[in-house]
Amino acid sequence: MLLLRCPLLLLLLLLLPLHSRPQKLPTRDEELFQMQIRDKAFFHDSSVIPDGAEISSYLFRDTPKRYFFVVEEDNTPLAVTVTPCDAPLEWKLSVQELPEEASGEGSGDPEPLEQQKQQITNEEGTELFSYKGNDVEYFVSSSSPSGLYQLDLLSTEKDTHFKVYATTTPESDQPYPELPYDPRIDVTSLGRTTVTLAWKPSPTASLLRQPIQYCIVINKEHNFKSLCAVEAKLSSDDAFMMAPKPGLDFSPFDFAHFGFPADNNSGKERGFLKASKFGRQTSPKPRVDLHRVCIGNKNIFTVSDLKPDTQYYFDMFAVNTNTNMSTAYVGTFARTKEEAKQKTVELKDGKVTDVFIKRKGAKFLRFAPVSSHQKVTFSVHSCLDAVQIQVRRDGKLLLSQSVEGVRQFQLRGKAKAKYLIRLKGSKKGASMLKILATTRPNKQSFPSLPEDTRIKAFDKLRTCSSVTVAWLGTQERNKFCIYKREVDDNYNEEQKKREQNQCLGPDTRKKSEKVLCKYFHSQNIQKAVTTETIRGLQPGKSYLLDVYVIGHGGHSVKYQSKLVKTRKFC
């Protein structure tokens, strides 16, 4: 047990750093132990390791730190775990025999404290274990001698956090989740943007029925050996990486950075330190490309939204939600598949080409005029949502634009030039468009459109059998056709939006839906407005109206649909 009597307690306190304050040491009396660990500040600023509780602390670079604990009885089981966070550690565990009076075996008057202190510090402790590196490392003994145990830690690379856990009851405590016999993460499926992972469940969950959740960490740099290391990398605020004020560097039971449950009052009890007041100043760290997701007790998970042909590192941590302590599986890595090589579509001069693009996908087109040319014109008609177009001439970027509706781009030509067009689809869904490339300026297949392609309905002119609407035209003489379709009263904007494919022409409509066609234009753009009254409608009914403008090449563009309703009573 980690149990001290008064003379040895005083002696040990003299051995502690000068800035330490006197405090009662924890014992493994369960009732008292539970009371002590509920007090979050109990071990604050202490060089004493409590029995059965994980502590977090801080090391300044090249500044060693020493912790103590006492084992009073021989043949006591002992386990010590040291977890480096964001830098390798050098640590050593050693033991010294207790003075006769301290062990409670002496008789007569106790020796003076200074003499007891000298008796311990003059003796060279027996080294039990040492380690150097950034792995989570353990010292485990089923039968340890009584004595004063010292844990010495050093970081030679940089200031860093670390965690320590020590217990004299390792068999019953088991705060860290146990790993299965095969602790590897398997990659069961690999795609261009997805990776499916599977792993064997922790026996702590499957056999001991303790609450375990699994947390996956994904990044492009390297595997992590502990959640403490992930915490250090993920920390976006400077508070985690700021060196605390000497003597106030202990923040026990701090699990908030991991997103795990913690006492609501823990921050208040600790008086969490702010970097602006304490410690050395550091510049803000750039945001890291690292993601963590906790998925409950599932043991299969698909990571999505990855980049094609990119190597990712995957780490899995089993977290005991009762203790908030974790164990790392053996991490893995995988490279996502390459994007399927795009087939380049050849554009012919003056011919309209239909293009379909998957959601978030892209298509490549090539235009190689057979004759010399002074200008080249690209006309694009986006049928649904906006698409991105890039045009390169012999590798040089000439154009990068977002296109919605109909757009025309005229670029300077060059003899024997070849043009590569990249079309990128919408994030919302699949994209459809029509594109035309030509070196003949007068070859216009798509009709010109006004900036506003809405249809306006005049509410005051509504009757039980007719509605009056208006729309804008252009200075170019075009043919306009208007169509109507009766719809249900519950027809809504969402349904209308799904039918907004501007590339579907009048040839897809029923003849009975046609109202009329007429030619219209105006040299004065301010007066390029036309109205039409649609008659023969039923009282109290809803209708969807569509206006198509048809260009000289026969290609049509649909205006935005308009939902109207006749009056029920007149």
Side-chain angles (χ1 to χ4, degrees), residues 34-244:
Q34 293 301 326
M35 177 275 291
Q36 289 167 344
I37 65 171
R38 282 195 295 268
D39 180 3
K40 301 297 189 287
F42 188 83
F43 303 114
H44 187 86
D45 186 31
S46 172
S47 293
V48 178
I49 300 177
D51 188 356
E54 185 179 63
I55 65 170
S56 302
S57 194
Y58 196 89
L59 275 175
F60 291 107
R61 182 170 63 88
D62 294 330
T63 303
K65 202 166 197 176
R66 174 172 291 177
Y67 286 88
F68 299 90
F69 60 91
V70 169
V71 174
E72 272 208 337
E73 300 174 2
D74 287 331
N75 303 317
T76 299
L78 178 64
V80 178
T81 303
V82 177
T83 303
C85 291
D86 51 338
L89 295 181
E90 298 179 21
W91 64 274
K92 178 181 70 173
L93 182 67
S94 56
V95 62
Q96 295 185 35
E97 290 186 5
L98 294 173
E100 184 178 348
E101 276 301 314
S103 63
E105 297 173 0
S107 59
D109 296 332
E111 296 176 356
L113 288 177
E114 285 299 321
Q115 186 176 343
Q116 295 182 18
K117 174 183 174 184
Q118 186 176 5
Q119 184 177 348
I120 289 182
T121 54
N122 287 346
E123 292 180 7
E124 193 68 33
T126 302
E127 183 177 314
L128 301 176
F129 184 81
S130 64
Y131 174 75
K132 181 178 180 180
N134 60 355
D135 282 328
V136 180
E137 195 55 70
Y138 313 86
F139 169 80
V140 180
S141 173
S142 60
S143 179
S144 297
S146 61
L148 175 66
Y149 285 75
Q150 295 179 182
L151 178 64
D152 296 286
L153 302 106
L154 177 68
S155 172
T156 58
E157 285 194 8
K158 62 178 181 178
D159 300 348
T160 183
H161 282 76
F162 64 93
K163 294 177 183 287
V164 176
Y165 174 80
T167 179
T168 55
T169 54
E171 291 298 322
S172 60
D173 283 5
Q174 296 186 348
Y176 295 98
E178 186 180 348
L179 290 176
Y181 67 91
D182 182 1
R184 294 173 298 179
I185 305 171
D186 294 321
V187 177
T188 60
S189 177
L190 194 62
R192 289 191 296 271
T193 60
T194 60
V195 173
T196 300
L197 307 171
W199 57 94
K200 293 176 175 60
S202 165
T204 306
S206 57
L207 299 178
L208 301 181
R209 302 298 180 187
Q210 292 190 28
I212 296 295
Q213 76 166 340
Y214 299 100
C215 295
I216 301 173
V217 175
I218 308 108
N219 79 105
K220 298 178 185 177
E221 296 181 4
H222 55 76
N223 288 109
F224 288 90
K225 298 182 178 180
S226 68
L227 265 180
C228 183
V230 175
E231 178 186 56
K233 191 75 172 177
L234 267 179
S235 181
S236 57
D237 59 350
D238 294 337
F240 178 78
M241 290 309 299
M242 286 296 176

Side-chain angles (χ1 to χ4, degrees), residues 392-405:
R392 294 180 184 272
R393 184 186 64 203
D394 299 332
K396 181 181 179 182
L397 182 64
L398 301 180
L399 172 70
S400 182
Q401 288 276 339
S402 176
V403 176
E404 194 167 5

